[in-house]
Amino acid sequence: LGLVGSEMCIRDREVMQAPLVPNFWRAPIDNDNGGGMPRRQGIWKDAGNERTLKSVTMVRMHEKVVKVVVAMSLDKVNSSLATNYTVFGNGDVVVDYNFVAGNGLPDLPRVGMQMQITDQFDQMQWFGCGPHETYWDRHMGSAVGMYEKSVKNYFYQYVRPQESNNHWGTQWAQLTNSSGKGIMISSEDALNFSAWPYTMDDLQTAKHINELPERNLITVNIDHLQMGVGGDDSWSHKAQPHTEFRIPAQNYRYSFRIGPAGSPGSYRLPKF
């Protein structure tokens, strides 16, 4: 695994189709629509896209370690985000995400990052809750273990497309091709992780599963938090997640590693 400019490559073959970017939104689920989430929390929908780059600095930490510090303002929500990318000579990239919230903002649907990779990396393996999708308030019926699925074949097709396939409590996940080459994502803290054969815009604009397009990409979500799914009912304020499963607008920080696909025991972050 290596970096060429802003691209991530494996033996000179491009992995990424769209860069790693901040994301604070989810394609509304039925309970979100019934409980008024898009109206109440809609300011976060484009908060990650409407960002202004403030500075980029590079520091050589070691002969084979470089840190790139990217500072940006999130203009729509009057907040800021700093992302540090520590690039190691072995191909590992450790991302440190530091979000500083503005004042008077509603709860966030999500705190995380999103990227897109080519669809050849369709084989997903993860260690965490499974085997079905799990969320902050929907994981007690799962078992912690190692699971393997096809991103395309495993994607859960709700009648009306929406957020899907999240995995709560993920310690590591990898996406590989038929030759076993690919990337591993890991953290010392549990992540929310998901991979879709669609874009998020596909999921929130299609009205029925037959409207979902064929894509040659995989959207990868690497999240610190995603709010719960709620559902005491699906048509009133009771459709919201309970208070303890919401994400207040405050400062958040988390880290994760992206590196070459490898053995399940190699998920811990390099020390630096």
Side-chain angles (χ1 to χ4, degrees):
L1 189 75
L3 292 175
V4 179
S6 60
E7 298 295 332
M8 186 172 288
C9 300
I10 297 175
R11 295 184 179 178
D12 297 326
R13 178 171 292 182
E14 185 178 334
V15 176
M16 296 176 69
Q17 289 203 178
L20 193 63
V21 295
N23 180 35
F24 304 95
W25 189 245
R26 75 177 180 194
I29 65 173
D30 291 338
N31 291 339
D32 291 338
N33 287 324
M37 184 278 275
R39 179 187 68 255
R40 188 176 55 255
Q41 297 168 253
I43 194 171
W44 295 106
K45 182 177 181 180
D46 295 313
N49 295 328
E50 297 184 12
R51 61 190 186 275
T52 300
L53 180 65
K54 308 303 285 187
S55 65
V56 179
T57 56
M58 185 180 75
V59 179
R60 185 172 292 278
M61 310 290 292
H62 182 268
E63 181 182 354
K64 295 183 178 181
V65 182
V66 173
K67 178 179 286 188
V68 180
V69 181
V70 181
M72 63 194 83
S73 62
L74 305 172
D75 303 324
K76 191 176 184 70
V77 291
N78 193 30
S79 302
S80 64
L81 178 65
T83 50
N84 299 343
Y85 301 87
T86 304
V87 185
F88 292 79
N90 66 351
D92 287 353
V93 180
V94 173
V95 182
D96 186 61
Y97 173 110
N98 189 5
F99 170 73
V100 178
N103 296 322
L105 293 165
D107 294 343
L108 296 89
R110 191 182 216 129
V111 176
M113 302 195 80
Q114 185 180 91
M115 66 179 181
Q116 291 172 356
I117 62 176
T118 60
D119 64 348
Q120 67 170 299
F121 302 102
D122 177 70
Q123 297 304 305
M124 180 174 70
Q125 187 181 50
W126 77 97
F127 181 80
C129 294
H132 47 74
E133 64 175 0
T134 52
Y135 294 84
W136 196 354
D137 55 356
R138 293 291 191 281
H139 66 273
M140 297 301 289
S142 66
V144 174
M146 189 168 68
Y147 301 97
E148 187 169 0
K149 302 281 187 179
S150 158
V151 172
K152 184 173 182 178
N153 296 335
Y154 169 60
F155 184 82
Y156 190 85
Q157 299 281 7
Y158 288 97
V159 173
R160 186 189 65 78
Q162 54 195 279
E163 181 72 33
S164 185
N165 283 60
N166 186 70
H167 296 291
W168 169 266
T170 301
Q171 293 293 329
W172 59 261
Q174 63 180 18
L175 294 150
T176 58
N177 60 17
S178 58
S179 301
K181 304 297 183 183
I183 60 172
M184 175 175 277
I185 298 159
S186 57
S187 179
E188 290 185 333
D189 299 314
L191 299 168
N192 281 263
F193 175 83
S194 59
W196 315 319
Y198 309 106
T199 68
M200 188 163 64
D201 190 59
D202 292 336
L203 297 181
Q204 62 190 356
T205 56
K207 302 300 183 185
H208 195 272
I209 55 176
N210 69 311
E211 297 175 10
L212 288 170
E214 291 286 336
R215 297 288 190 189
N216 62 348
L217 56 80
I218 293 171
T219 297
V220 180
N221 297 289
I222 310 167
D223 298 324
H224 176 48
L225 288 171
Q226 185 184 153
M227 69 179 188
V229 299
D232 288 357
D233 67 36
S234 293
W235 56 86
S236 76
H237 70 278
K238 293 182 180 180
Q240 299 180 62
H242 290 190
T243 303
E244 62 269 31
F245 303 117
R246 300 176 192 173
I247 308 173
Q250 60 191 35
N251 301 346
Y252 293 97
R253 185 170 186 171
Y254 77 116
S255 297
F256 58 91
R257 162 195 173 271
I258 303 178
S263 66
S266 65
Y267 65 82
R268 292 196 177 276
L269 295 175
K271 300 299 182 183
F272 58 91

